[in-house]
Amino acid sequence: EPEVTQTPSHQVTQMGQEVILRCVPISNHLYFYWYRQILGQKVEFLVSFYNNEISEKSEIFDDQFSVERPDGSNFTLKIRSTKLEDSAMYFCASSGGTGGGEKLFFGSGTQLSVL
Amino acid sequence: AQSVTQLGSHVSVSEGALVLLRCNYSSSVPPYLFWYVQYPNQGLQLLLKYTTGATLVKGINGFEAEFKKSETSFHLTKPSAHMSDAAEYFCAVSDLRGNEKLTFGTGTRLTIIP
């Protein structure tokens, strides 16, 4: 079964450093998403991406965050200057775009720890 | 705006007993509803989903859920709990506009007592 792949599985960084979280979506998917889950809290939507541009973003997704699909296969989330509160599990998801979430596939996540 | 409420952040059941995890939703449009499971140190795995049609949906691992519009509920059940069911369970509702933004509940941690 096709799957969404995320690397690394764990990332430790110092506060103020830039991090890039990487995702390889399912190959024929067109819609891409990032969600995050702070420890003990619910999974929260960050951003959706389609046709090489952001289609929607949450209020969490401020100027410190950016997304990119650099080479047609990878989908990245960059945090420019990490804060302690950015520590969370970040999930990438992709979809064939049938709408409504019924074809959404999640990766296994990257645990980001900001020290 | 959509929202999901999961009653009970922790639920414990004995092995072999009925599992019931509660989820209520709020949506201004007909919802698509989902249950996801998260095993320790793993990602989110889709258990089952309701989109249209039959209101009782069956998922993997013997789980099922029933969409009740009148009660705005989508409770998850399994007749007989197994030790391997111990995990975090998330109910979610989607935005039907096509960008598949999911709004998740706060999750219910299921513990199985041997």
Side-chain angles (χ1 to χ4, degrees), chain B residues 7 12-13 17-18 21-24 26 29 31 37 44-45 51 59 61 71 73 77 79 88 94 101 103:
Chain B
L7 295 176
S12 296
V13 301
L18 171 71
L21 304 183
R22 299 178 187 274
C23 172
N24 289 87
S26 172
V29 297
V37 60
L44 296 167
Q45 181 181 4
T51 54
N61 301 337
E71 298 177 8
S73 68
T77 60
E88 185 96 20
S94 84
K101 169 185 162 186
T103 299

Side-chain angles (χ1 to χ4, degrees), chain A residues 31 33 35 37 41-45 48 55-56 89 91 95-104 106-109, chain B residues 4 32 34 36 38 41-44 46 49 51 88 90 94-107:
Chain A
Y31 295 79
Y33 307 84
Y35 287 78
Q37 182 185 26
Q41 299 185 25
K42 64 181 177 181
V43 178
E44 300 173 290
F45 168 81
S48 58
S55 46
E56 187 170 351
M89 177 74 88
F91 293 105
S95 163
T98 55
E102 60 179 318
K103 297 289 188 183
L104 194 62
F106 282 86
S108 57
Chain B
V4 171
Y32 282 10
F34 306 83
Y36 282 86
Q38 183 182 30
N41 301 314
Q42 295 187 28
L44 296 167
L46 181 65
K49 62 192 177 194
T51 54
E88 185 96 20
F90 293 92
S94 84
D95 183 321
L96 287 182
R97 291 177 291 159
N99 66 2
E100 297 175 293
K101 169 185 162 186
L102 295 182
T103 299
F104 285 83
T106 51

Side-chain angles (χ1 to χ4, degrees), chain B residues 5-82:
Chain B
T5 302
Q6 290 184 243
L7 295 176
S9 58
H10 292 84
V11 171
S12 296
V13 301
S14 298
E15 191 175 15
L18 171 71
V19 175
L20 171 60
L21 304 183
R22 299 178 187 274
C23 172
N24 289 87
Y25 70 90
S26 172
S27 178
S28 57
V29 297
Y32 282 10
L33 294 159
F34 306 83
W35 277 99
Y36 282 86
V37 60
Q38 183 182 30
Y39 297 103
N41 301 314
Q42 295 187 28
L44 296 167
Q45 181 181 4
L46 181 65
L47 264 183
L48 50 78
K49 62 192 177 194
Y50 168 78
T51 54
T52 58
T55 56
L56 181 63
V57 292
K58 296 185 185 299
I60 61 172
N61 301 337
F63 284 93
E64 60 183 38
E66 186 171 11
F67 170 62
K68 291 187 177 180
K69 184 178 178 181
S70 60
E71 298 177 8
T72 61
S73 68
F74 191 58
H75 302 330
L76 180 71
T77 60
K78 182 174 180 178
S80 177
H82 190 273

Side-chain angles (χ1 to χ4, degrees), chain A residues 10 22 34 38 49 53 58 70 76 92 98:
Chain A
H10 292 84
R22 302 181 192 280
W34 284 101
I38 295 172
F49 189 85
E53 62 182 25
S58 73
T76 62
C92 174
T98 55

Side-chain angles (χ1 to χ4, degrees), chain A residues 64-89:
Chain A
Q64 293 299 311
F65 291 87
S66 62
V67 289
E68 191 178 32
R69 190 158 160 79
D71 56 12
S73 61
N74 290 284
F75 179 52
T76 62
L77 174 69
K78 181 192 292 186
I79 309 175
R80 290 190 182 82
S81 178
T82 51
K83 306 183 186 75
L84 295 176
E85 55 264 38
D86 294 328
S87 295
M89 177 74 88

